[in-house]
Amino acid sequence: MTPETLSATHARAFAGQGRGWSAAEFAALLDSPHTFVVGDARAFALGRAIADEAELLTLATDPGQRRAGLGRACLAGFEAEAKARGAVRGFLEVAADNAAARALYAAARWRECARRAGYYPRAGGIAVDALILEKHLG
């Protein structure tokens, strides 16, 4: 997938939740040999694996494609690719108010290990905690 395709899907997936990532930002991330993407224009997971740890940078599903198992498939694809690259632990970050994403990660057995208070800005000057989740991949 091109950085432009990733950016367009990301913008649709995160509309109303802050700004989507630009094509230039995706291009810069994809320039690293440690970064990988799984999925397609309907849904994708972008991650990176370094040494024995992996980080899910973002998971995006086009709103018109939700509730079809694509997010779950991309998450599984991220885990498989991270493991193939030698990662034994995975990490991700999710907004505390993102119930759908939290349910997806809980179903895949990701567990909270830390929290960043007031990390994600919301309308009206409110900020929401970022939950740091981890999973043993090995």
Side-chain angles (χ1 to χ4, degrees):
M1 277 193 299
T2 67
E4 292 76 17
T5 300
L6 294 169
S7 178
T9 301
H10 198 263
R12 288 189 301 274
F14 289 93
Q17 299 178 43
R19 73 169 185 85
W21 297 358
S22 71
E25 289 169 313
F26 278 107
L29 285 165
L30 292 170
D31 274 345
S32 169
H34 303 291
T35 305
F36 59 92
V37 63
V38 296
D40 57 31
R42 299 171 301 155
F44 69 88
L46 177 76
R48 80 175 133 218
I50 300 174
D52 65 347
E53 292 186 349
E55 178 184 13
L56 178 63
L57 300 170
T58 192
L59 190 147
T61 302
D62 187 285
Q65 302 295 322
R66 290 186 179 147
R67 308 296 303 166
L70 298 174
R72 183 174 52 250
C74 288
L75 182 59
F78 161 79
E79 292 175 11
E81 180 62 22
K83 191 174 175 181
R85 290 172 176 246
V88 295
R89 282 183 15 166
F91 294 92
L92 64 85
E93 179 179 289
V94 62
D97 64 350
N98 190 338
R102 290 181 63 191
L104 171 69
Y105 299 137
R109 298 195 308 244
W110 288 78
R111 301 289 176 245
E112 184 177 341
C113 65
R115 182 180 288 246
R116 288 188 180 108
Y119 186 76
Y120 291 107
R122 295 293 189 253
I126 298 170
V128 175
D129 291 355
L131 309 180
I132 310 303
L133 307 183
E134 71 177 330
K135 181 176 180 178
H136 179 73
L137 303 172

